[in-house]
Every structure is written in C-alpha cells, then in structure tokens.
Amino acid sequence: MIEKAHAKRVEIPESCLGSSERNSRGTGMGVSEKITVRKENPSPEMSKLMEQVVEQSNMRKALKRVEQNRGASGVDEMTVADLRECLKAEWPRIKVELLKGSYRPQAIREVEIPKPGGKGMRKLGIPTVVDRMIQQAMLQALSPIFDPEFSESSYGFRPNRSAHQAVVKAREYVQKGKRWVVDMDLEKFFDRVNHDVLMSRVARKVKDRRAIALLYRYLQAGALKAGIVEARQEGTPQGGPLSPLLSNILLDELDKELERRGHVFCRYADDCNIYVGSKQAGEKVMKSVEKFLEKRLRLKVNRDKSAVGRVERRKFLGYSMTFDRNPRIKIAEETVKRIKRKLRECFRSAQGRNLGRFILEDLNPLLKGWVNYFRLAEVRGIFEELDGWIRRRLRCMVWRQMKRTWTRTKRLLSLGIEKNRAFRSAANQRGPWWNSGASHMNEAFKKIYFDRLGLVSLLTELRQLQFTSRTAVYGTVRTVV
C-alpha cells in the first residue's frame, strides 16, 4: 500500500509554478487578491536551485544535521544510523532524480502527541530519514532567499533569532505605553495551510520548477496511519525540516500587512501578539486582522486561545509581565502549572528507583532545561517556591519507599530525630503527602541533604545564568562559582 502511494503521480497546479504574468486570482480558491509582480530575469540562485540543493557541501551539511537531530524512523523503518550506508548505494540514483525533477517522496508516518496542558492531541508527520535529509538540504538553499526579507518582528524558526528576543521586544512595546495586547493564535495552523496559497507565495521568488514541484510533492505526500495511506489536501506536517520555513513564508504576508497598517507586534510561528494602547483599539484590530487572515490566507483564528486583554493577564511564549509602570518579566501562572504537571509525571515514574540516580539522570536535566529557557524572569519568588515544592515531592517519594513503621523509625533516628519523636512520627496514620510537609521530615531531610545528592536549585541556577549573561554583556572576565 505504501508503494502504491509512493508511485502515485501528484499533479501540480500551474498557479504554484509561477509565471511572469500572474492572474490576480491566481490562488484558484476564489480569493480576490491583487499581486504586483515585477518583470525581472530570475537570478541563477533562483532558477538553478536544485543544483545548489544537491551540491556536495550542502548535502554533507544536511546529512550531519539530520544525524545530530536523530529522530524516529519513517514508514520505511530506516534509522538515522543506517542512513550513510543507504546513501552509498542509493544517492547516485536519488541525485539524478532530483536534478531531473522526477524524485517522489515517500509517505510520512503520522503520530499524535499530547498538547501542553493535556488539551487535545497534536499531529506529527515523520518523513523517512532520506526525505528528512533532502528537506534539510532544501531548507539550507531556500533560507538565504527568503529569510533576509522576513519581517524584523518575526522571531520563530529563524537563524540568530529566538523566543527570548521576542519577549524582550514585547516588553519594550509595553514600556512605551502599549499596555493592551491582541493575543492571536491560529487554529490548527500546521494542519490547515492551503497548499495553493502557500505555493503561490513560494513561486514569487523560486523560479526553478523542479524545486517548486518537489516542495509541492512534500506537501501532498500521503500520511500512513494505522496501516493506511491517506492523501493530504492541506497542511504542512510538523516533523519535517521544511515545515517551519514554509509557515514563515505564508505568515510573512500577515507581518507585512501589520507593518503597512503601522502596528507594533511580535510573532513566533503561529503565535502573534499585537500591542495597542486601549481595549477598543485592540478589539478593532482583532476584527480586521481576523478578516484578513480568512480572506487572504485561508486561515482561521482560534477563538478559545485568542483574546484582547491587558498584557499582565496574558502570556507570551510562557512569560508574562508585572503591573509596574516599568514592567518586569515573570513566568506566567499557566506555565508554572504546566511544569508542576510534568514533574508529577516524572515523580510517579520514579517510584522504587534509587533517589540519587533519579535526581541526576531524570530530574536535573529537566530542571536545567526549564530554568535555562526562563532565565529572563526578573520575578524570582516562583523559583524559590518551586524549589521547596520539589524537595517536598522528594520527601514524599522517600516516605513511600520506607513503607514500614520500623524502617521509617530507624531512618529518622539515623538522621538525628529524637527517639520518641521518631517512633511517634513513623507510626502516625497520615498519608505520604502530609508527612512530606511535616516537621520531622523537614528536619531529617533538610535542603543540604538534597544538595549532597546533586539536586539542582532553580533559584541558584537562575542567578548563575543571569550573572553569566551580565558578564557576557559587559565583558567582565569573572567566573561564576
């Protein structure tokens, strides 16, 4: 069945291939849009893109990147470890097909993962490792063509750009008096991208028909789910290297429209925040931008996640801000709830494990990654609170592991608790969570006990990261102890 899907010919609409004289209704979707196309000779980079894609240094770089990222296997079950051996035999044929424009990608393997917060499932499309390498090579060739002309207010999936830069820029807007935000989230964006609308935008810059045809085939590649290959009519499946760039190409039209209207905004992928001076202005902007997205880009705003509100009551990329005149960056309440949910799952899976090994192998990597992302936070109280909460969870884990009254008594005695008190504490009928917060467990398993086991302190880690950032900015040659 997979072979049948692989062999199926994909017809590419003429509107996707581009021409020097484009119809103003070229999307074929009944969307009236006026597109101005300058008559110019395409540059060699644009008309001979596939030669750049298959160039040896570009393919070596793509191969190395795929190997670094690892990832799951696709429908052919080939792993990243087998890729080099496969290329020794198959690359000459694949290269010829790419240059002729006859290469056809295999179907993607569709899987679902839970969304953050447990609100539904997110679809991922996993290409084969060979297709991932080709997509990565195309990404490396396409990025220099499109990225320089993307908006300065676009921060997602771009070289030398990050979520931290977006958050810092957002605070600048708020400091200038834009205390209201139009918080827009696109409904199932990656699943609902219109292929014709997207490819018409690609064809404005890419003149190599082989490259356009290959991009369209990647978009149209069937998805294998439960043993059946389903045709794909819309969407850019998350999981392939090209998906982020294609999403930016499509949404760049939104960026340019917002700039034309004079708005200040920050966009990270499909998460866009527009900063305005009042609620009335925000509601007006929300209505007009929603209309623009539906008519021009065939995208729908997620009403459940989108709203007009005070910046202090909304979150952006996990962060929020204080009500101060000079706002400070803080972690959003929803973000704290999310990390606690994740940590609870981590602790549940650790029942019966060695405490020290669990801390070093499972807990510390999670905590370090989390605090590294949220190192911009200027309100530190939540880090101290989380540190205490994590230690209590560890004490709860220890209490469960001790199980019997006599075992608990001996352990408490060994850690300095007085004999009668140790026996009374071990024999109480309270549950593990109550005991983890009781004085006998706090005195027996102090902070220093977990420090000796190597537990990362979020507050200490945050201070070190922020100190390192300051020394890097000011050029100080001090080392962090």
Side-chain angles (χ1 to χ4, degrees), residues 16-125:
C16 295
L17 296 176
S19 62
S20 59
E21 297 180 4
R22 188 186 308 278
N23 190 323
S24 64
R25 300 177 184 266
T27 60
M29 298 296 296
V31 182
S32 177
E33 56 176 0
K34 187 176 180 180
I35 303 172
T36 303
V37 178
R38 291 177 296 177
K39 293 184 178 180
E40 56 184 8
N41 294 324
S43 66
E45 290 81 7
M46 297 179 185
S47 60
K48 293 188 177 181
L49 187 66
M50 289 310 299
E51 278 74 12
Q52 290 184 43
V53 171
V54 301
E55 199 268 327
Q56 189 177 26
S57 62
N58 188 55
M59 293 306 304
R60 285 184 181 278
K61 185 179 176 183
L63 174 60
K64 186 176 179 181
R65 187 61 182 268
V66 170
E67 289 177 332
Q68 287 174 342
N69 292 340
R70 299 182 183 178
S73 57
V75 294
D76 60 357
E77 299 184 352
M78 182 193 297
T79 64
V80 173
D82 300 327
L83 180 56
R84 283 183 181 265
E85 200 62 34
C86 170
L87 292 176
K88 288 179 182 177
E90 298 294 328
W91 176 244
R93 174 188 61 81
I94 294 172
K95 181 177 180 181
V96 169
E97 290 181 1
L98 288 170
L99 291 174
K100 284 184 176 179
S102 59
Y103 179 81
R104 301 190 181 280
Q106 292 193 55
I108 60 174
R109 182 165 66 89
E110 188 173 283
V111 296
E112 292 184 344
I113 60 172
K115 288 184 178 179
K119 298 178 181 178
M121 303 294 287
R122 174 176 286 130
K123 291 182 180 179
L124 290 182

Side-chain angles (χ1 to χ4, degrees), residues 143-341:
S143 287
I145 296 173
F146 287 96
D147 191 80
E149 295 189 18
F150 284 156
S151 168
E152 287 296 313
S153 298
S154 169
Y155 295 90
F157 310 117
R158 295 182 61 191
N160 303 316
R161 296 224 155 207
S162 67
H164 288 167
Q165 293 174 334
V167 173
V168 171
K169 194 65 178 179
R171 181 175 60 174
E172 288 182 20
Y173 295 143
V174 177
Q175 287 173 331
K176 293 176 182 177
K178 305 288 186 179
R179 309 289 302 212
W180 290 83
V181 61
V182 182
D183 187 354
M184 301 193 70
D185 185 85
L186 301 179
E187 185 175 313
K188 296 182 179 179
F189 169 72
F190 286 96
D191 297 331
R192 294 188 175 176
V193 170
N194 183 282
H195 292 172
D196 290 348
V197 174
L198 170 59
M199 292 307 299
S200 68
R201 272 66 182 172
V202 173
R204 293 174 184 178
K205 288 186 174 293
V206 177
K207 304 305 177 184
D208 190 328
R209 287 176 170 245
R210 299 165 298 175
I212 295 175
L214 182 57
L215 284 172
Y216 195 82
R217 290 184 190 121
Y218 273 123
L219 290 175
Q220 294 275 304
L224 179 68
K225 186 177 181 181
I228 301 174
V229 177
E230 299 177 354
R232 180 180 293 275
Q233 303 299 327
E234 61 180 2
T236 60
Q238 290 177 271
L242 277 172
S243 183
L245 175 64
L246 294 177
S247 67
N248 275 333
I249 291 172
L250 181 63
L251 291 176
D252 186 58
E253 189 156 340
L254 169 64
D255 298 340
K256 295 298 192 291
E257 179 66 17
L258 292 175
E259 289 174 348
R260 188 186 67 79
R261 297 181 185 185
H263 295 308
V264 292
F265 65 97
C266 294
R267 182 179 65 79
Y268 193 94
D270 59 333
D271 193 357
C272 182
N273 275 12
I274 307 167
Y275 297 90
V276 294
S278 67
K279 184 178 181 180
Q280 292 77 9
E283 290 173 346
K284 184 178 179 181
V285 169
M286 171 72 87
K287 188 176 180 180
S288 63
V289 172
E290 186 176 0
K291 186 177 179 180
F292 171 84
L293 287 167
E294 289 180 357
K295 285 194 172 183
R296 290 290 295 272
L297 301 181
R298 294 289 176 179
L299 297 173
K300 189 176 180 182
V301 173
N302 187 334
R303 277 293 184 177
D304 294 332
K305 294 184 178 180
S306 304
V308 177
R310 296 276 301 187
V311 291
E312 302 85 359
R313 301 190 186 280
R314 305 296 299 177
K315 71 178 181 70
F316 181 50
L317 302 176
Y319 287 95
S320 186
M321 297 185 200
T322 64
F323 282 88
D324 304 333
R325 178 173 294 181
N326 186 20
R328 293 180 297 157
I329 298 172
K330 67 175 186 177
I331 299 177
E333 291 181 13
E334 187 178 324
T335 304
V336 177
K337 293 177 182 177
R338 186 182 301 170
I339 187 61
K340 282 187 173 182
R341 280 195 297 267

Side-chain angles (χ1 to χ4, degrees), residues 378-393:
E378 297 167 300
V379 179
R380 297 179 176 179
I382 190 59
F383 292 89
E384 188 174 5
E385 180 187 324
L386 279 172
D387 276 336
W389 183 85
I390 290 167
R391 288 194 295 271
R392 183 172 181 181
R393 299 298 304 192

